[in-house]
Amino acid sequence: MYEAPYPPYDPVDTSGFSYQTVVKRWPVILTGIIDTIYRTNHDLSLSSDPDMSKLGDVSAVDQETRERIEEGKRLIEKLSKLKYEMGRDRPLEAVPDDGEPLVKVYNDELEKLSSQGKGTWFTAPWLYAECYLYRFLRAYFSRTKYWRTFDPFRGQKESTFQASGTAIYQLATTMHELEAEKSALISDPDKLVIIFREMIQMCLWGNATDLSLLTHMSHSDIQDLQTVGKDAQAARKEFILKDDQERVWDHIKTLSPDSRVDFVLDNAGFELFTDFVFADFLVTYTPYVSRVVFHPKIIPWFVSDVTPTDFKQTFASLLSPAFFPSSPTASSKPSPSQQHLHAMVLRWQSYLENGIFALSVPLDTPLGGDVTVGTNGQKNVVVNLEKNGVNEASFWTGPWPYWDMKELAPELWTTLSESGLVIFKGDLNYRKLTGDIKWPVSTPFEIAVGPLAGSFPLLSLRTNKADVAVGVPQAVADELDKKGEKWRVSGKYALVSFIPKGSQA
Ligand code: F6P
Ligand code: MG
């Protein structure tokens, strides 16, 4: 297995960002889960007792609901204990065998870390401890009778999505206006490249915490593509500290028309919407791509990541006129932007039906499920893969860097090696690509991704929300540090990093 020449980030340094996450962010996340279960339990007792006359009297509710509520209470107890232990830097416990993927993988690594004196919340490498947290939490839910399909972050994902209506309608109208330009675009590579830049940046900033850098393209912008494209590009350029956009475009132009692009997804809601828009652009407006495959997480992951359920639900949400509270639902006639959104999502839905868009696992894959690929190429949903090794989807929720994908998940590696371009979205994917290592900032990206470099054309679109960063000139980093910019973690800066297939570090 690949060993990096520098150590990983860990929370031992109390002035570091990872320490802040462990101390502040994780307890908030656990408290949020506890509140969610508490509220769900409360709603369960109300639904069986609508006039609230027997509130608190669980004997009044039916047997199944009672058991569900009791299980919920036990989950709350466990979560409270976990929060207490985490705050006191207690040892990480082995992940219980819940029959879902990667139990042994997590526990073998934990054993190794413990033997090195790094088996507690604050001493384990940050990347391991954070992935472990979500896998360990999953085992609380997967071992219940009534809460095994419960995603404790689902409500949060949905309400954040609902708050992004304005940007969604704006992008839908942009895409609608683009339709009028379609024939001109396809035949004019100079125009197409401008739209490509707008699209890739929109998809990039969809991962930001600060959405103010999101691309805006008005109707007149499209009329005057080149000038405005250049200006907008220049304005945002200072925030993209490594910018391989042109290299990516040069690569895409070499793809044969039947090529496939893969998205290793990050967050549900608005970010996923921008992924769909970019994917739509690639298949609808360029002659180079005919299929896009999206790779989700199979367990609730880093709060906001896309699960198969989120993926499926996104279409229904976007097609529901009442989903965005800001939408002008009062009038019976849909607004033009509502019509634009509706038409676009119907197109995406037809792409999904025709296999132009596809999820890497069946749409109804339950939490904790994965797939094996049959001899006929048919994907079969299976749970309990432990004995069969790491399958296609569970690799993304492992604790490892992506360096050794070829050895750890050979099926997945083979699938991706047939792709025309694999796009890794977001911060955590970047941390895993680079191993979350304390690389000198000027280290080439090809070096930091270790033996994965060259396996397939690889593009990372990442806004910076954690310390690790490579491919940035030392002088640029020094200048930002001098100005006191929190450029590594604020979400305001970004990296667009590309490695072609066959490239050797
Ligand atoms: O705030 C830090 C953090 O939770 C990191 O652990 C993680 O890398 C990131 O946020 C998640 O961001 P993203 O959704 O872009 O992967
Ligand atoms: Mg995420």
Side-chain angles (χ1 to χ4, degrees):
M1 295 286 126
Y2 177 72
E3 293 278 345
Y6 301 92
Y9 283 95
D10 62 37
V12 174
D13 170 11
T14 54
S15 63
F17 180 67
S18 45
Y19 177 79
Q20 295 301 320
T21 325
V22 178
V23 169
K24 296 203 185 121
R25 206 168 127 83
W26 291 354
V28 171
I29 290 169
L30 292 181
T31 307
I33 302 176
I34 292 170
D35 285 352
T36 304
I37 299 174
Y38 184 82
R39 269 186 283 114
T40 309
N41 260 359
H42 183 73
D43 292 347
L44 282 170
S45 33
L46 282 189
S47 64
S48 311
D49 179 22
D51 64 357
M52 293 173 66
S53 57
K54 303 184 193 72
L55 186 62
D57 175 8
V58 280
S59 62
V61 300
D62 66 68
Q63 175 69 16
E64 192 182 307
T65 308
R66 189 166 28 221
E67 282 177 28
R68 192 185 292 260
I69 291 172
E70 283 310 312
E71 268 194 344
K73 284 185 187 167
R74 283 198 293 280
L75 283 172
I76 290 176
E77 273 165 31
K78 285 185 182 172
L79 286 156
S80 307
K81 181 167 165 276
L82 180 65
K83 198 175 137 187
Y84 178 90
E85 291 180 347
M86 186 187 268
R88 279 151 192 81
D89 194 24
R90 298 271 163 85
L92 308 182
E93 281 173 34
V95 177
D97 187 359
D98 60 355
E100 291 192 359
L102 305 175
V103 174
K104 188 168 153 45
V105 165
Y106 273 95
N107 290 341
D108 286 353
E109 185 63 20
L110 179 56
E111 219 167 275
K112 198 172 110 200
L113 290 171
S114 303
S115 70
Q116 298 165 354
K118 294 180 185 171
T120 69
W121 287 100
F122 288 82
T123 55
W126 184 34
L127 181 61
Y128 175 84
E130 214 166 17
C131 296
Y132 162 91
L133 171 63
Y134 290 93
R135 181 61 186 87
F136 191 70
L137 286 173
R138 171 63 194 156
Y140 282 167
F141 290 90
S142 57
R143 289 181 306 146
T144 61
K145 183 169 171 195
Y146 296 104
W147 297 77
R148 49 182 311 125
T149 57
F150 186 79
D151 177 350
F153 308 122
R154 178 80 203 121
Q156 203 175 325
K157 285 186 261 197
E158 182 140 311
S159 54
T160 317
F161 190 24
Q162 283 178 305
S164 53
T166 310
I168 299 234
Y169 284 124
Q170 209 162 33
L171 281 170
T173 294
T174 296
M175 289 306 273
H176 170 77
E177 289 170 351
L178 211 54
E179 258 173 66
E181 308 283 327
K182 190 170 170 180
S183 47
L185 281 175
I186 287 195
S187 57
D188 185 347
D190 289 347
K191 280 189 174 175
L192 199 55
V193 66
I194 303 293
I195 301 295
F196 166 76
R197 287 190 201 121
E198 299 293 331
M199 290 292 147
I200 191 174
Q201 288 183 37
M202 175 266 320
C203 187
L204 166 70
W205 294 114
N207 176 250
T209 42
D210 173 5
L211 291 181
S212 64
L213 290 157
L214 195 68
T215 294
H216 292 288
M217 265 199 306
S218 66
H219 182 64
S220 61
D221 292 341
I222 295 172
Q223 301 291 306
D224 196 7
L225 292 166
Q226 260 147 329
T227 348
V228 174
K230 265 188 201 146
D231 289 354
Q233 173 87 351
R236 285 188 299 264
K237 179 93 182 153
E238 65 172 303
F239 297 105
I240 303 178
L241 301 176
K242 173 175 172 57
D243 190 353
D244 286 343
Q245 287 178 72
E246 300 306 315
R247 290 179 67 204
V248 179
W249 181 240
D250 286 344
H251 166 71
I252 289 177
K253 282 189 297 183
T254 66
L255 294 176
S256 62
D258 61 346
S259 295
R260 186 187 93 213
V261 165
D262 288 76
F263 276 73
V264 181
L265 294 173
D266 185 5
N267 301 319
F270 184 70
E271 181 169 358
L272 179 60
F273 179 81
T274 64
D275 297 336
F276 283 144
V277 173
F278 189 32
D280 188 10
F281 165 75
L282 290 173
V283 296
T284 311
Y285 292 93
T286 80
Y288 314 116
V289 180
S290 63
R291 246 164 21 99
V292 179
V293 175
F294 299 91
H295 299 258
K297 306 295 187 312
I298 52 162
I299 61 172
W301 190 247
F302 284 71
V303 182
S304 34
D305 282 33
V306 181
T307 63
T309 309
D310 296 328
F311 185 90
K312 198 168 147 185
Q313 186 57 38
T314 301
F315 293 85
S317 300
L318 288 169
L319 288 172
S320 152
F323 183 72
F324 297 110
S326 58
S327 55
T329 43
S331 106
S332 54
K333 202 169 166 287
S335 70
S337 59
Q338 279 178 312
Q339 290 172 23
H340 301 153
L341 181 64
H342 196 77
M344 180 168 70
V345 179
L346 286 183
R347 177 166 70 236
W348 297 351
Q349 228 172 18
S350 76
Y351 283 173
L352 199 58
E353 280 151 21
N354 301 332
I356 296 172
F357 283 0
L359 193 64
S360 68
V361 295
L363 283 174
D364 53 3
T365 304
L367 289 181
D370 199 344
V371 291
T372 50
V373 185
T375 41
N376 54 359
Q378 181 78 25
K379 294 194 173 187
N380 306 309
V381 178
V382 285
V383 276
N384 197 357
L385 294 154
E386 202 51 37
K387 296 154 197 92
N388 309 328
V390 176
N391 285 61
E392 293 224 346
S394 45
F395 180 74
W396 308 119
T397 47
W400 324 272
Y402 294 155
W403 297 323
D404 298 308
M405 182 194 289
K406 191 174 182 181
E407 285 72 34
L408 295 169
E411 270 186 22
L412 175 66
W413 188 89
T414 305
T415 304
L416 294 184
S417 66
E418 290 154 5
S419 178
L421 180 67
V422 184
I423 304 176
F424 289 80
K425 288 298 311 286
D427 190 78
L428 178 66
N429 275 325
Y430 186 87
R431 287 171 65 197
K432 288 187 158 193
L433 284 166
T434 57
D436 211 31
I437 293 288
K438 293 178 177 172
W439 298 104
V441 72
S442 59
T443 307
F445 185 60
E446 289 84 341
I447 301 272
V449 304
L452 189 67
S455 304
F456 37 77
L458 184 162
L459 169 64
S460 158
L461 296 179
R462 179 249 191 161
T463 63
N464 305 1
K465 302 179 211 164
D467 293 297
V468 61
V470 297
V472 179
Q474 187 66 50
V476 171
D478 291 347
E479 190 57 33
L480 288 166
D481 285 339
K482 214 160 68 195
K483 284 198 273 179
E485 280 285 332
K486 299 268 176 254
W487 63 274
R488 286 175 184 268
V489 298
S490 64
K492 195 174 158 191
Y493 289 84
L495 303 168
V496 176
S497 317
F498 174 69
I499 309 177
K501 186 168 181 164
S503 158
Q504 296 285 311

